[in-house]
């Protein structure tokens, strides 16, 4: 497998808030240490969608990166989400994340304004030019719009940039993924938990996982079994995780599910920020039951 500056199993970490809804930095430190030291994760992705980036301020984003980087030190890679629909804003966030101690950047394709592929490529290259950090592109058409989905041609072009090193793949396009993997040195990460094993089977390096917030060792176990040559065992482990993935990702955003489970377990999380709504008691009970089945 290709070497990667982004680790292998990354949790798409939630952003803890206190009961009033303010940023909970002590809770973030505690959670980061838990995910790295006991949760099977060698990387943490901060300020992504699961981290409620649309509703956190620039100051909160930077403070979170700094606190988590100080907490985990060299025990894990810290990847900061800096993607916005504004190139200048993304550049500012990238530079602030670098100064705060991030080891890499996650940059989503710009959304809402419907830029052309040429504009998308220039946006991503501009952000990559702004710092010395390696960049993971985030290809998620379901959230950014099909018109801004990275094409094979754009990915091949961006792969030539010296700091664009990886792709978080939520495109559900195995043909595109296979073509890029076969033609470039880009390192691929599954960004959808149900695709972790299928993408690893075609050459992906690892995953950026929402489910790893609550079941990191089980998520890692799938990849460990596959890499050890136990493909049947990897399939069994993957299938055992599917009910939990379905429960966490199908009815509500993953952030809502993770925070509900953390509240039940006494881990830092706190409320979600509007427009998200918390899980109700019935959903929380189903989530807890699915998690118990995975954890045994």
């Amino acid at each position: 497998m290709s070497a990667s500056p982004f680790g292998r199993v990354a949790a798409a970490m939630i952003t803890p808030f206190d009961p009033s809804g303010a940023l909970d930095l002590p809770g973030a430190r505690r959670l980061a240490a838990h995910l790295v030291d006991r949760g099977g994760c060698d990387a943490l992705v901060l300020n992504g969608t699961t981290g409620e980036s649309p509703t956190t301020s620039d100051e909160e984003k930077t403070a979170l990166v700094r606190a988590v980087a100080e907490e985990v030190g060299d025990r894990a890679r810290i990847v900061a989400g800096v993607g916005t629909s504004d190139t200048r804003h993304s550049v500012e966030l990238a530079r602030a994340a670098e100064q705060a101690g991030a080891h890499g950047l996650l940059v989503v394709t710009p959304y809402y304004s419907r830029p052309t592929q040429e504009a998308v490529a220039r946006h991503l290259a501009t952000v990559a030019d702004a710092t010395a950090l390696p960049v993971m592109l985030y290809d998620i058409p379901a959230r950014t719009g099909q018109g801004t989905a990275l094409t094979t041609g754009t990915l091949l072009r961006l792969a030539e940039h010296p700091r664009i090193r990886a792709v978080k793949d939520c495109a559900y396009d195995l043909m595109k993924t296979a073509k890029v993997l076969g033609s470039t040195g880009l390192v691929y990460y599954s960004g959808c938990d149900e695709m972790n094993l299928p993408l690893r089977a075609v050459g992906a390096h690892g995953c950026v996982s929402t489910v790893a917030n609550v079941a990191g060792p089980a998520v890692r176990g799938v990849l460990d079994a596959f890499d050890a040559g136990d493909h049947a065992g990897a399939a069994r482990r993957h299938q055992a995780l599917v009910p939990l993935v379905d429960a966490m990702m199908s009815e509500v955003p993953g952030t809502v599910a993770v925070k509900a489970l953390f509240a039940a377990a006494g881990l830092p999380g706190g409320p979600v920020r509007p427009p998200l709504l918390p899980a109700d008691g019935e959903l929380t009970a189903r989530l807890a039951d699915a998690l118990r089945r995975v954890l045994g």
Side-chain angles (χ1 to χ4, degrees):
M1 290 188 299
S2 301
S4 173
F6 301 100
R8 179 164 163 267
V9 177
M13 195 177 106
I14 61 140
T15 299
F17 301 130
D18 67 21
S20 74
L23 182 64
D24 178 9
L25 289 178
R29 288 175 176 271
R30 179 183 165 203
L31 176 58
H34 169 79
L35 292 172
V36 171
D37 297 335
R38 295 179 295 282
C41 298
D42 59 4
L44 302 174
V45 175
L46 309 178
N47 298 325
T49 308
T50 304
E52 296 179 77
S53 59
T55 55
T56 56
S57 69
D58 292 0
E59 292 76 14
E60 288 174 323
K61 290 178 172 68
T62 302
L64 180 66
V65 172
R66 181 175 293 110
V68 171
E70 290 174 352
E71 182 66 31
V72 304
D74 60 0
R75 305 197 308 280
R77 309 301 290 172
I78 305 304
V79 183
V82 300
T84 73
S85 56
D86 177 353
T87 303
R88 289 180 298 177
H89 189 194
S90 296
V91 165
E92 291 168 359
L93 289 174
R95 290 172 175 162
E98 181 180 41
Q99 293 172 1
H103 302 118
L105 305 174
L106 176 68
V107 189
V108 72
T109 55
Y111 43 86
Y112 192 73
S113 55
R114 299 175 65 188
T116 63
Q117 282 293 301
E118 176 64 24
V120 168
R122 291 191 188 188
H123 169 91
L124 296 170
T126 298
V127 178
D129 285 338
T131 78
L133 298 178
V135 169
M136 178 187 292
L137 305 177
Y138 189 6
D139 189 11
I140 182 166
R143 290 184 184 270
T144 62
Q146 290 293 336
T148 56
L150 288 165
T151 65
T152 301
T154 299
L155 284 163
L156 295 177
R157 172 182 171 183
L158 289 170
E160 297 176 359
H161 194 290
R163 282 184 293 283
I164 294 178
R165 302 283 300 280
V167 177
K168 180 184 176 185
D169 186 0
C170 290
Y172 292 98
D173 187 342
L174 287 174
M175 181 63 76
K176 178 171 72 172
T177 298
K179 286 180 177 179
V180 176
L181 278 169
S183 302
T184 74
L186 288 173
V187 180
Y188 263 68
Y189 288 78
S190 168
C192 305
D193 279 282
E194 70 274 24
M195 294 296 289
N196 290 353
L197 181 58
L199 285 175
R200 176 67 191 97
V202 298
H205 182 80
C207 60
V208 177
S209 169
T210 297
V211 174
N213 279 281
V214 300
V219 171
R220 188 180 195 93
V222 175
L223 300 184
D224 286 347
F226 185 90
D227 292 349
D230 182 9
H231 296 173
R236 287 193 299 270
R237 290 171 179 266
H238 177 80
Q239 290 158 7
L241 270 171
V242 165
L244 177 61
V245 175
D246 189 33
M248 290 182 64
M249 307 303 293
S250 296
E251 295 186 49
V252 292
T255 306
V256 174
V258 172
K259 288 198 168 184
L261 287 167
F262 278 2
L267 288 168
V272 293
R273 285 183 175 172
L276 298 182
L277 296 173
D280 60 24
E282 180 181 347
L283 175 57
T284 300
R286 291 202 304 275
L287 290 166
D289 181 64
L291 181 59
R292 279 193 296 270
R293 292 175 185 273
V294 168
L295 299 182

